[in-house]
Every structure is written in C-alpha cells, then in structure tokens.
Amino acid sequence: MNERLRRHFDEIEARLIECPAILSYQIIRRDISPDGGKLRIRTALTGGGVFECFLYVKDRGHVSYPLKYSFHWQDSQGRTVKRRENAPHHPGLPYAPHHLHVGEDHVEGFSGKPDIFVFIDEMECILIRK
C-alpha cells in the first residue's frame, strides 16, 4: 500500500466530515496500490444538492499526479453548478483536457492543479453563506 496516498485519501475524508455543507457521504470506491489509487465519493449537500468526486492518481517516487479526475457539484434539481475535470471532450479549450463547467452552459479551460480541497472550500463558501 502507498502510505502517502492513504494519508491523502484520509485527509479528503476528514475534510468531508468537517465541512458544514456536507450532510453525509458515501465512499463508493477506495483502492490503493503501491503505485496509485482510485477514490470515488458521493455526498449529500445542504439544500438537497450533490457533490461527487472521482480521482485516479498515479504515484512516481515522491510525486503523485491525477491521471483522471472529476469534481462535480449539482443542485437539488440535478443541474450542474460546477464541475472540474479532465475528460477529453473539450479539446479546443486552453489547457485541455483540464476544464471547468460553470452552470449548464459555460465551459472554460483552467491551468491550475486540480485540488479537491479548493473545490470543497468554494462549494462550502457558497452553500453556507446563502
């Protein structure tokens, strides 16, 4: 087992527990091997929304990097609020395949590191301040 990835996945779970915008969560998949790991989580949010995340992480020595990821937040009506991912379905965007969906109709490229903690912080800030 990869201890660094185990700690990282534990930190994600701890953040879910402490986030006041998250009512409950379910770990659908958590696999850790010596060279990588997969994590899939589904949460119920205040106001009836849902947050789902998927991470497929590879580990090379002292560096871990996501091969695939999706952080998806939808409202109580099933509409996308925000989703950050690297699915290759917007190849014309800057920094493709990394992109951000905002609402149902807007997609933009982004160059930052896909950080689940930043995504949860943004979500919490919006939901708790409503």
Side-chain angles (χ1 to χ4, degrees):
M1 179 183 294
N2 186 308
E3 242 345 91
R4 186 173 55 250
L5 281 179
R6 185 197 59 77
R7 283 191 308 272
H8 180 61
F9 288 177
D10 287 349
E11 289 168 358
I12 292 170
E13 186 173 0
R15 180 65 181 104
L16 298 174
I17 291 168
E18 72 181 20
C19 180
I22 295 175
L23 300 175
S24 64
Y25 70 94
Q26 177 184 15
I27 296 177
I28 297 167
R29 182 174 188 176
R30 179 181 166 136
D31 297 328
I32 301 172
S33 67
D35 67 340
K38 294 179 181 176
L39 181 66
R40 183 178 295 273
I41 297 170
R42 180 177 174 89
T43 74
L45 301 173
T46 59
V50 173
F51 167 61
E52 296 180 335
C53 94
F54 173 73
L55 286 168
Y56 174 30
V57 181
K58 278 305 227 183
D59 191 67
R60 300 278 189 245
H62 297 291
V63 179
S64 297
Y65 60 95
L67 289 179
K68 294 181 182 181
Y69 65 91
S70 175
F71 312 142
H72 176 79
W73 170 19
Q74 68 186 40
D75 67 16
S76 61
Q77 304 301 311
R79 296 178 300 238
T80 299
V81 175
K82 188 181 282 191
R83 181 172 65 246
R84 182 164 284 180
E85 64 181 338
N86 68 342
H89 54 252
H90 294 287
L93 290 173
Y95 315 110
H98 308 281
H99 61 280
L100 173 68
H101 296 259
V102 181
E104 294 287 314
D105 301 319
H106 180 77
V107 181
E108 58 190 59
F110 76 94
S111 63
K113 177 183 171 189
D115 189 329
I116 189 171
F117 298 105
V118 169
F119 194 91
I120 292 170
D121 290 347
E122 293 170 356
M123 190 174 58
E124 177 182 326
C125 191
I126 292 168
L127 288 172
I128 297 306
R129 289 187 181 168
K130 276 189 169 181

